[in-house]
Amino acid sequence: MDLVRLGLERGRNAAEAKRVITDLLGRFGQGGSASADTDRRYHNGFLIADPREAWAVETFGSHWGARRGAGAAAISNLYSIEANWDEASAGADEFLHERGWAAEPAGQRVNFRRAAGSSELFDMTPGSEDGKDDHPLTIGRTFSDPSLNYHVT
């Protein structure tokens, strides 16, 4: 949320706000925990718009991909930017390849949604057993944390 506030404060239009958000993301990474009681982290997505243009920005770690808006757009807890991105952070494709998330050969345009898993949500909780620091939640399944009385389907 701090990135959004800074983008709105410092940018005069959608393109400038996107630049502020992505520059800060690249320099400092994502914010702290999304929970007051536990260390729960996740990637963010942003819709940034002004009367003349709009951008969808989806993040992974300190990297990002952005697609210029054309008509209506929406983002949710799933990645929506595929290989149709207009801009990406320097090294985004290398980051995805190094982790084995990108299916495309090196040098080919990376499909961010496929790399993230088209039916999974990312929870960047440190210490995940798979070594990626994420826990995917498959659509249609329920994640429960009994200690917090927290259930997501």
Side-chain angles (χ1 to χ4, degrees):
M1 197 55 120
D2 292 334
L3 291 174
V4 172
R5 287 188 196 115
L6 290 167
L8 292 172
E9 173 186 284
R10 297 176 184 178
R12 292 177 297 162
N13 55 44
E16 288 182 12
K18 174 186 61 66
R19 185 191 49 76
V20 167
I21 290 169
T22 56
D23 285 352
L24 291 170
L25 180 73
R27 288 176 54 202
F28 301 107
Q30 309 236 11
S33 180
S35 172
D37 301 328
T38 60
D39 191 12
R40 302 185 74 79
R41 298 170 188 264
Y42 59 91
H43 300 292
N44 287 287
F46 307 100
L47 287 178
I48 307 162
D50 66 32
R52 291 183 193 85
E53 72 176 326
W55 288 88
V57 178
E58 294 176 345
T59 69
F60 37 98
S62 60
H63 292 284
W64 54 272
R67 184 181 68 230
R68 188 182 309 272
I75 57 174
S76 184
N77 291 334
L78 294 175
Y79 286 86
S80 61
I81 297 175
E82 296 181 326
N84 58 346
W85 46 271
D86 295 300
E87 296 180 12
S89 60
D93 52 350
E94 290 91 354
F95 175 85
L96 295 169
H97 277 100
E98 286 170 3
R99 283 154 184 78
W101 296 347
E104 298 78 13
Q108 186 176 340
R109 188 175 263 256
V110 174
N111 181 319
F112 292 144
R113 181 176 178 176
R114 185 176 14 205
S118 61
S119 64
E120 297 177 337
L121 305 176
F122 276 84
D123 170 8
M124 293 301 291
T125 304
S128 299
E129 294 178 17
D130 63 6
K132 294 182 187 173
D133 285 341
D134 67 274
H135 275 293
L137 173 63
T138 303
I139 293 176
R141 295 259 178 110
T142 299
F143 166 78
S144 296
D145 185 336
S147 68
L148 297 174
N149 194 26
Y150 183 72
H151 309 283
V152 177
T153 301

Coordinates of all heavy atoms in Angstrom, one line a residue, residues 52-101:
R52 N -6.2 9.5 -19.3 CA -5.7 9.2 -20.7 C -5.1 7.8 -20.9 O -5.0 7.3 -22.0 CB -4.6 10.2 -21.0 CG -5.1 11.6 -21.2 CD -4.1 12.6 -21.6 NE -4.6 13.9 -21.5 CZ -4.6 14.6 -20.4 NH1 -4.1 14.1 -19.3 NH2 -5.0 15.8 -20.4
E53 N -4.6 7.1 -19.8 CA -4.0 5.8 -19.9 C -4.1 5.0 -18.6 O -4.3 5.6 -17.6 CB -2.6 5.9 -20.4 CG -1.6 6.3 -19.4 CD -0.1 6.3 -19.9 OE1 0.2 5.4 -20.6 OE2 0.6 7.2 -19.5
A54 N -3.9 3.7 -18.8 CA -4.0 2.8 -17.6 C -2.9 1.7 -17.8 O -2.5 1.4 -18.9 CB -5.3 2.2 -17.5
W55 N -2.4 1.3 -16.6 CA -1.4 0.2 -16.6 C -1.8 -0.9 -15.6 O -2.3 -0.5 -14.5 CB 0.0 0.8 -16.2 CG 0.6 1.6 -17.3 CD1 0.5 2.9 -17.5 CD2 1.5 1.1 -18.3 NE1 1.2 3.3 -18.5 CE2 1.9 2.2 -19.0 CE3 2.0 -0.1 -18.6 CZ2 2.8 2.1 -20.1 CZ3 2.9 -0.2 -19.6 CH2 3.3 0.9 -20.4
A56 N -1.6 -2.1 -15.9 CA -1.7 -3.2 -14.9 C -0.2 -3.6 -14.7 O 0.6 -3.8 -15.6 CB -2.4 -4.4 -15.5
V57 N 0.2 -3.6 -13.4 CA 1.5 -4.0 -13.0 C 1.4 -5.2 -12.0 O 0.7 -5.1 -11.1 CB 2.2 -2.8 -12.3 CG1 3.6 -3.2 -11.8 CG2 2.3 -1.6 -13.2
E58 N 2.1 -6.3 -12.3 CA 2.1 -7.4 -11.5 C 3.6 -7.7 -11.1 O 4.5 -7.6 -11.9 CB 1.5 -8.6 -12.2 CG 0.0 -8.4 -12.4 CD -0.6 -9.5 -13.2 OE1 0.0 -10.3 -13.8 OE2 -1.9 -9.5 -13.2
T59 N 3.8 -8.0 -9.8 CA 5.1 -8.1 -9.2 C 5.5 -9.5 -8.8 O 4.6 -10.3 -8.5 CB 5.2 -7.2 -8.1 OG1 4.4 -7.6 -7.0 CG2 4.8 -5.8 -8.4
F60 N 6.7 -9.8 -8.7 CA 7.3 -11.0 -8.2 C 8.6 -10.7 -7.6 O 9.6 -10.3 -8.3 CB 7.3 -12.2 -9.2 CG 7.7 -11.7 -10.6 CD1 9.0 -11.9 -11.0 CD2 6.8 -11.2 -11.4 CE1 9.4 -11.5 -12.3 CE2 7.1 -10.8 -12.7 CZ 8.4 -10.9 -13.1
G61 N 8.7 -10.7 -6.2 CA 9.9 -10.2 -5.6 C 10.1 -8.7 -5.9 O 9.2 -7.9 -5.8
S62 N 11.3 -8.4 -6.3 CA 11.6 -7.0 -6.7 C 11.4 -6.8 -8.2 O 11.8 -5.7 -8.7 CB 13.0 -6.6 -6.2 OG 14.0 -7.4 -6.8
H63 N 10.9 -7.8 -8.9 CA 10.7 -7.7 -10.3 C 9.2 -7.5 -10.6 O 8.3 -7.7 -9.8 CB 11.2 -9.0 -11.0 CG 12.7 -9.1 -10.9 ND1 13.5 -8.4 -11.7 CD2 13.5 -9.8 -10.1 CE1 14.8 -8.6 -11.5 NE2 14.8 -9.5 -10.5
W64 N 9.0 -7.1 -11.9 CA 7.6 -6.7 -12.3 C 7.4 -6.8 -13.8 O 8.4 -6.8 -14.5 CB 7.2 -5.3 -11.8 CG 8.2 -4.3 -12.3 CD1 9.4 -3.9 -11.7 CD2 8.2 -3.5 -13.5 NE1 10.1 -2.9 -12.4 CE2 9.4 -2.7 -13.6 CE3 7.3 -3.5 -14.6 CZ2 9.6 -1.8 -14.6 CZ3 7.6 -2.6 -15.7 CH2 8.7 -1.8 -15.7
G65 N 6.2 -7.0 -14.2 CA 5.8 -6.9 -15.6 C 4.6 -5.9 -15.7 O 3.8 -5.9 -14.7
A66 N 4.5 -5.2 -16.7 CA 3.4 -4.2 -16.9 C 2.8 -4.3 -18.3 O 3.5 -4.5 -19.3 CB 3.9 -2.8 -16.6
R67 N 1.5 -4.1 -18.3 CA 0.7 -4.1 -19.5 C -0.1 -2.8 -19.6 O -0.8 -2.5 -18.7 CB -0.2 -5.3 -19.6 CG -0.9 -5.5 -21.0 CD -1.8 -6.7 -21.0 NE -2.9 -6.5 -20.1 CZ -3.3 -7.4 -19.2 NH1 -2.7 -8.5 -19.0 NH2 -4.3 -7.1 -18.4
R68 N 0.0 -2.2 -20.7 CA -0.8 -0.9 -20.9 C -2.2 -1.3 -21.1 O -2.6 -2.3 -21.8 CB -0.3 -0.2 -22.2 CG -0.9 1.2 -22.4 CD -0.4 1.8 -23.6 NE 1.0 1.9 -23.8 CZ 1.8 2.8 -23.3 NH1 1.3 3.8 -22.7 NH2 3.1 2.8 -23.5
G69 N -3.1 -0.6 -20.5 CA -4.5 -0.9 -20.5 C -5.1 -0.6 -21.9 O -4.8 0.4 -22.5
A70 N -6.0 -1.5 -22.3 CA -6.8 -1.3 -23.5 C -8.2 -1.7 -23.2 O -8.5 -2.8 -23.1 CB -6.2 -2.2 -24.6
G71 N -9.1 -0.7 -23.0 CA -10.4 -1.0 -22.6 C -10.5 -1.3 -21.2 O -9.8 -0.7 -20.4
A72 N -11.3 -2.2 -20.8 CA -11.5 -2.6 -19.4 C -10.4 -3.6 -18.9 O -9.9 -4.4 -19.7 CB -12.8 -3.2 -19.2
A73 N -10.0 -3.5 -17.6 CA -9.0 -4.4 -17.1 C -9.4 -4.7 -15.6 O -10.0 -3.8 -15.0 CB -7.6 -3.8 -17.2
A74 N -9.0 -5.8 -15.1 CA -9.1 -6.1 -13.7 C -8.0 -7.0 -13.3 O -7.3 -7.7 -14.1 CB -10.4 -6.9 -13.5
I75 N -7.6 -6.9 -12.0 CA -6.6 -7.8 -11.4 C -7.2 -8.4 -10.2 O -8.2 -7.9 -9.6 CB -5.3 -7.1 -11.1 CG1 -5.6 -5.9 -10.1 CG2 -4.6 -6.6 -12.4 CD1 -4.3 -5.3 -9.7
S76 N -6.7 -9.5 -9.8 CA -7.2 -10.2 -8.6 C -6.0 -10.9 -8.0 O -4.9 -10.5 -8.1 CB -8.3 -11.2 -9.1 OG -8.8 -11.9 -7.9
N77 N -6.3 -12.1 -7.4 CA -5.2 -12.9 -6.7 C -4.5 -13.8 -7.7 O -3.9 -14.7 -7.2 CB -5.8 -13.6 -5.5 CG -6.2 -12.7 -4.4 OD1 -5.6 -11.6 -4.3 ND2 -7.1 -13.0 -3.6
L78 N -4.8 -13.7 -9.0 CA -4.1 -14.5 -10.0 C -3.4 -13.6 -10.9 O -3.8 -12.5 -11.2 CB -5.1 -15.3 -10.8 CG -5.9 -16.4 -10.0 CD1 -6.9 -17.0 -11.0 CD2 -4.9 -17.5 -9.5
Y79 N -2.3 -14.0 -11.4 CA -1.5 -13.3 -12.4 C -2.4 -13.2 -13.7 O -3.0 -14.2 -14.1 CB -0.2 -13.9 -12.7 CG 0.8 -13.6 -11.6 CD1 0.9 -14.5 -10.5 CD2 1.7 -12.5 -11.6 CE1 1.7 -14.2 -9.4 CE2 2.5 -12.3 -10.6 CZ 2.6 -13.2 -9.5 OH 3.4 -12.9 -8.5
S80 N -2.4 -12.1 -14.4 CA -3.1 -12.0 -15.6 C -2.2 -11.6 -16.8 O -2.6 -11.8 -18.0 CB -4.3 -11.0 -15.5 OG -3.7 -9.7 -15.2
I81 N -1.1 -11.1 -16.5 CA -0.2 -10.7 -17.6 C 0.6 -11.9 -18.1 O 1.3 -12.6 -17.3 CB 0.8 -9.6 -17.1 CG1 0.1 -8.3 -16.7 CG2 1.9 -9.3 -18.2 CD1 0.9 -7.2 -16.1
E82 N 0.4 -12.2 -19.4 CA 1.1 -13.4 -20.0 C 2.3 -12.9 -20.7 O 3.1 -12.2 -20.1 CB 0.1 -14.1 -20.8 CG -1.1 -14.6 -20.0 CD -2.1 -15.4 -20.8 OE1 -2.4 -15.1 -21.9 OE2 -2.7 -16.4 -20.2
A83 N 2.5 -13.3 -22.0 CA 3.6 -12.8 -22.8 C 3.2 -11.5 -23.4 O 3.9 -11.0 -24.3 CB 4.0 -13.8 -23.8
N84 N 2.0 -10.9 -23.1 CA 1.5 -9.7 -23.7 C 2.0 -8.4 -22.9 O 1.3 -7.4 -23.0 CB 0.0 -9.7 -23.8 CG -0.7 -9.9 -22.4 OD1 0.0 -10.3 -21.5 ND2 -2.0 -9.7 -22.4
W85 N 3.0 -8.5 -22.1 CA 3.5 -7.3 -21.4 C 4.1 -6.3 -22.3 O 4.7 -6.7 -23.3 CB 4.4 -7.8 -20.2 CG 5.5 -8.7 -20.6 CD1 5.4 -10.1 -20.5 CD2 6.8 -8.4 -21.0 NE1 6.6 -10.7 -20.9 CE2 7.5 -9.7 -21.2 CE3 7.5 -7.3 -21.2 CZ2 8.8 -9.8 -21.6 CZ3 8.8 -7.4 -21.6 CH2 9.5 -8.6 -21.8
D86 N 4.1 -5.1 -21.9 CA 4.7 -4.0 -22.6 C 6.0 -3.6 -22.0 O 6.9 -3.1 -22.8 CB 3.7 -2.8 -22.7 CG 2.4 -3.0 -23.4 OD1 2.5 -3.4 -24.6 OD2 1.4 -3.0 -22.8
E87 N 6.1 -3.7 -20.7 CA 7.4 -3.4 -20.1 C 7.6 -4.4 -19.0 O 6.7 -5.0 -18.4 CB 7.3 -2.0 -19.4 CG 7.1 -0.9 -20.4 CD 7.0 0.5 -19.7 OE1 7.3 0.6 -18.5 OE2 6.7 1.5 -20.4
A88 N 8.9 -4.6 -18.6 CA 9.3 -5.5 -17.5 C 10.5 -5.0 -16.9 O 11.3 -4.2 -17.5 CB 9.4 -6.9 -18.0
S89 N 10.7 -5.3 -15.6 CA 12.0 -4.9 -14.9 C 13.2 -5.6 -15.6 O 13.1 -6.7 -16.1 CB 11.9 -5.3 -13.5 OG 11.8 -6.7 -13.3
A90 N 14.3 -4.9 -15.5 CA 15.6 -5.5 -16.0 C 15.9 -6.7 -15.2 O 15.8 -6.7 -14.0 CB 16.7 -4.5 -15.9
G91 N 16.1 -7.8 -15.9 CA 16.4 -9.1 -15.3 C 15.2 -9.9 -14.9 O 15.4 -11.0 -14.2
A92 N 14.0 -9.5 -15.2 CA 12.9 -10.3 -14.8 C 12.9 -11.7 -15.3 O 12.6 -12.7 -14.6 CB 11.6 -9.6 -15.2
D93 N 13.2 -11.8 -16.6 CA 13.2 -13.1 -17.2 C 14.3 -14.0 -16.6 O 14.1 -15.2 -16.4 CB 13.3 -13.1 -18.8 CG 14.4 -12.2 -19.3 OD1 15.0 -11.5 -18.4 OD2 14.7 -12.2 -20.5
E94 N 15.5 -13.4 -16.4 CA 16.5 -14.2 -15.7 C 16.1 -14.7 -14.4 O 16.4 -15.8 -14.0 CB 17.8 -13.4 -15.6 CG 18.5 -13.1 -17.0 CD 18.0 -11.8 -17.6 OE1 17.1 -11.2 -17.1 OE2 18.6 -11.5 -18.7
F95 N 15.5 -13.8 -13.6 CA 15.0 -14.2 -12.3 C 14.1 -15.4 -12.3 O 14.2 -16.3 -11.5 CB 14.3 -12.9 -11.7 CG 13.6 -13.2 -10.3 CD1 14.3 -13.1 -9.2 CD2 12.2 -13.5 -10.3 CE1 13.7 -13.3 -7.9 CE2 11.6 -13.7 -9.0 CZ 12.3 -13.6 -7.9
L96 N 13.1 -15.4 -13.3 CA 12.2 -16.5 -13.4 C 12.9 -17.7 -13.9 O 12.6 -18.8 -13.4 CB 11.0 -16.1 -14.3 CG 10.2 -14.9 -13.8 CD1 9.2 -14.4 -14.9 CD2 9.4 -15.4 -12.6
H97 N 13.8 -17.6 -14.8 CA 14.6 -18.8 -15.3 C 15.4 -19.4 -14.2 O 15.5 -20.6 -14.1 CB 15.4 -18.4 -16.5 CG 14.7 -18.4 -17.8 ND1 14.2 -17.3 -18.4 CD2 14.3 -19.4 -18.6 CE1 13.6 -17.6 -19.5 NE2 13.6 -18.9 -19.7
E98 N 16.1 -18.6 -13.4 CA 17.0 -19.1 -12.4 C 16.2 -19.9 -11.4 O 16.8 -20.9 -10.8 CB 17.7 -17.9 -11.6 CG 18.8 -17.2 -12.4 CD 19.2 -15.9 -11.8 OE1 18.7 -15.6 -10.7 OE2 20.1 -15.3 -12.4
R99 N 15.0 -19.6 -11.1 CA 14.2 -20.4 -10.2 C 13.4 -21.5 -10.8 O 12.7 -22.3 -10.2 CB 13.2 -19.4 -9.5 CG 13.9 -18.6 -8.5 CD 13.3 -17.3 -8.2 NE 14.1 -16.5 -7.2 CZ 15.2 -15.9 -7.5 NH1 15.6 -15.9 -8.8 NH2 15.9 -15.2 -6.6
G100 N 13.6 -21.7 -12.1 CA 12.9 -22.8 -12.8 C 11.4 -22.5 -13.1 O 10.7 -23.4 -13.3
W101 N 11.0 -21.3 -12.9 CA 9.6 -20.9 -13.1 C 9.2 -20.7 -14.5 O 8.0 -20.8 -14.9 CB 9.2 -19.7 -12.2 CG 9.4 -19.9 -10.8 CD1 9.6 -21.1 -10.1 CD2 9.4 -18.9 -9.8 NE1 9.7 -20.9 -8.8 CE2 9.5 -19.6 -8.5 CE3 9.2 -17.6 -9.8 CZ2 9.6 -18.9 -7.3 CZ3 9.3 -16.9 -8.6 CH2 9.4 -17.6 -7.3

